[in-house]
């Protein structure tokens, strides 16, 4: 399994933004107003994943007072991180498209003011989810093996 590349996340975000922008052009007037704090769920998930990354990292590095990590737990954490970063990128593209659509119409449309706040909160929260997920994925890497010179020096002592 390879680690998530920023290029993959950028492609997903751009595709989601393009589709969302086309849908907004076709039917923004028929949509209900967006709740202002609709995107906060991703902020919470990003924080939880970052916290999980810190605790898992300590366990993988076998810090004193921690329980070793089973391989299946680490694999599930990586799968969660990969899925979360992709979901955050897709929703970041969606919220970015909404923001780019409603921000210029802030003074013209009554709903655009509230939707601008919702899109901003959603975009920031999506960024937090991506950050937390990438951190969790980074924390699941196995510690570097000592190089050959360290192994030789240990045998000499």
């Amino acid at each position: 399994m390879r680690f998530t590349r920023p290029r993959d996340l950028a492609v997903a975000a751009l595709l989601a933004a393009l589709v969302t922008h086309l849908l907004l052009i076709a039917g923004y007037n028929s949509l209900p107003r967006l709740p202002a704090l609709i995107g906060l769920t991703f902020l919470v998930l990003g924080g939880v994943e970052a916290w999980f990354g810190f605790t898992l990292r300590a366990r993988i590095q076998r810090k004193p007072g921690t329980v070793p990590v089973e391989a299946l737990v680490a694999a599930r954490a990586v799968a969660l991180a990969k899925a979360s970063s992709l979901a955050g990128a897709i929703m970041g593209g969606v919220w970015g498209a909404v923001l780019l659509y409603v921000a210029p119409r802030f003074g013209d449309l009554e709903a655009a003011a509230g939707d601008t706040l919702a899109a901003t909160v959603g975009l920031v929260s999506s960024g937090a989810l991506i950050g937390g997920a990438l951190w969790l994925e980074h924390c699941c890497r196995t510690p570097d093996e000592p190089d050959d010179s360290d192994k030789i020096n240990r045998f000499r002592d």
Side-chain angles (χ1 to χ4, degrees):
M1 178 185 303
R2 67 174 207 258
F3 288 97
T4 303
R5 295 181 300 207
R7 172 182 65 190
D8 297 339
L9 298 179
V11 168
L14 287 174
L15 287 175
L18 178 64
V19 170
T20 302
H21 185 70
L22 294 174
L23 291 173
L24 288 172
I25 289 172
Y28 178 73
N29 293 333
S30 64
L31 293 175
R33 293 188 74 177
L34 297 172
L37 303 178
I38 193 169
L40 281 182
T41 305
F42 276 12
L43 182 66
V44 171
L45 288 174
V48 168
E49 288 192 22
W51 172 79
F52 185 44
F54 281 113
T55 59
L56 199 59
R57 184 178 191 195
R59 291 175 59 193
I60 288 172
Q61 294 176 346
R62 299 179 188 264
K63 301 259 175 147
T66 61
V67 178
V69 177
E70 294 180 27
L72 190 57
V73 172
R76 286 179 178 166
V78 170
L80 171 67
K82 290 180 87 53
S84 295
S85 63
L86 184 59
I90 290 169
M91 286 309 297
V94 168
W95 288 120
V98 170
L99 187 60
L100 289 175
Y101 186 82
V102 297
R105 295 163 178 78
F106 189 82
D108 299 338
L109 298 173
E110 183 180 321
D115 290 348
T116 301
L117 175 63
T120 303
V121 169
L123 188 60
V124 169
S125 297
S126 295
L129 179 60
I130 293 169
L134 291 177
W135 175 249
L136 175 58
E137 187 175 339
H138 173 77
C139 291
C140 290
R141 293 181 183 206
T142 56
D144 293 333
E145 292 291 321
D147 61 4
D148 290 335
S149 63
D150 289 342
K151 291 179 185 175
I152 292 170
N153 289 336
R154 270 190 282 150
F155 287 119
R156 287 183 185 166
D157 294 334

